[in-house]
Amino acid sequence: MRLRNIKGSKEIIEGSPYVISSSNQGLSNQWKSIFPQSAPIYLEIGMGKGKFLVDSAIRNPDINYIGIERYSSVLCRAVQRVEELEPIHNLKFINMDAGELLNTFALGEVDKIYLHFSDPWPKDRHAKRRLNAKEYLTIYDKILKADGELEMKTDNLLLFEFGLEQAKSANWKIIHCNRNLHTQEYLAVNPIMTEYEKKFGSAGNAILQYVIKR
Ligand code: SAH
């Protein structure tokens, strides 16, 4: 997701209590003092405009949610959205690239990772940039708790199959694998959706989901 630059977006981000700066010493082991409550950490990598995180944080106040997004123009929209609401104690954002995750989380600090509608990088020579590639699994392996899980949702079949194959070859276990998530039963329970999930699901695309663990 790339958006036109919003004038002053840097200032809006820097001035927000929801945004944690990744620039100084690194944030690993700092999270206990950043959130007012000690609670499991759920992390969305590539959060876009933050719809899923905001809705999840409101619905599940006993989980601490963190979203990372590399484009400030996109993160700025999330900040603007959340600042119109009542304060949310269990939600933080960081403007950073997933490649920096090892500076941001200590070993085993994260309980769950979400990859939602990640950029597909369709060319073979860009495969390493896909957020479900084995290079990233090595990073997630370090920051996830021993029984922590990673959930991917996408409508891109190639990215989905690639992720499953990478997970298997890195010896992760496939806990769930669903090639048609949006059944009537699923939609009836009023699930929290990401922005892209809502958009592509309503357009009739099959929504694909897998959950993996080590
Ligand atoms: N998760 C949201 C947005 C999906 S679009 C949803 O489901 O609606 C994918 C987002 O991931 C984009 O906003 C893009 O900027 C971000 N992104 C892609 N690669 C990233 C990386 N390496 N680090 C951080 N964010 C990334």
Side-chain angles (χ1 to χ4, degrees):
M1 187 181 296
R2 282 190 105 146
L3 296 171
R4 194 171 40 85
N5 234 349
I6 302 173
K7 204 164 167 254
S9 65
K10 218 170 154 249
E11 289 73 19
I12 294 173
I13 289 176
E14 282 167 6
S16 171
Y18 289 98
V19 180
I20 304 297
S21 163
S22 64
S23 55
N24 18 15
Q25 306 303 326
L27 288 162
S28 49
N29 280 322
Q30 304 291 310
W31 292 103
K32 285 188 194 72
S33 54
I34 289 173
F35 283 110
Q37 63 176 7
S38 159
I41 291 181
Y42 286 16
L43 168 69
E44 186 180 13
I45 301 175
M47 56 174 267
K49 291 186 256 166
K51 176 187 179 298
F52 171 84
L53 283 176
V54 172
D55 293 352
S56 299
I58 292 171
R59 197 184 285 184
N60 306 306
D62 298 337
I63 292 169
N64 289 333
Y65 288 92
I66 301 171
I68 74 167
E69 169 54 53
R70 68 167 158 194
Y71 290 123
S72 57
S73 55
V74 179
L75 183 61
C76 186
R77 302 293 179 95
V79 168
Q80 289 173 321
R81 177 200 295 264
V82 76
E83 291 194 347
E84 283 172 4
L85 307 172
E86 292 293 311
I88 304 177
H89 67 278
N90 56 331
L91 178 64
K92 297 290 175 201
F93 305 136
I94 318 174
N95 186 195
M96 61 171 264
D97 191 280
E100 306 296 318
L101 280 168
L102 290 178
N103 300 328
T104 311
F105 295 98
L107 296 182
E109 205 172 21
V110 177
D111 293 78
K112 180 159 183 164
I113 292 177
Y114 296 108
L115 300 177
H116 290 148
F117 296 80
S118 306
D119 298 351
W121 292 107
K123 293 189 178 123
D124 281 349
R125 67 188 159 89
H126 291 148
K128 278 187 190 170
R129 298 185 192 176
R130 298 174 192 152
L131 288 176
N132 56 3
K134 62 178 190 301
E135 288 76 7
Y136 281 105
L137 290 180
T138 310
I139 297 178
Y140 307 151
D141 180 42
K142 297 200 170 83
I143 64 172
L144 264 182
K145 282 212 164 60
D147 66 343
E149 58 184 40
L150 179 149
E151 175 180 327
M152 165 154 246
K153 277 192 271 185
T154 179
D155 64 336
N156 186 300
L157 189 59
L158 287 177
L159 183 69
F160 183 78
E161 300 295 354
F162 172 81
L164 284 173
E165 171 255 305
Q166 295 280 293
K168 280 184 212 153
S169 71
N171 285 323
W172 289 54
K173 295 188 210 96
I174 318 281
I175 305 296
H176 292 293
C177 180
N178 191 334
R179 288 182 169 76
N180 181 24
L181 183 63
H182 283 193
T183 56
Q184 285 192 350
E185 292 85 340
Y186 179 77
L187 298 175
V189 298
N190 189 23
I192 294 175
M193 288 196 207
T194 81
E195 185 180 346
Y196 278 24
E197 179 178 4
K198 208 166 167 207
K199 182 167 145 192
F200 297 131
S202 341
N205 297 9
I207 303 301
L208 313 159
Q209 177 206 41
Y210 65 71
V211 178
I212 58 175
K213 272 185 172 186
R214 280 94 93 226

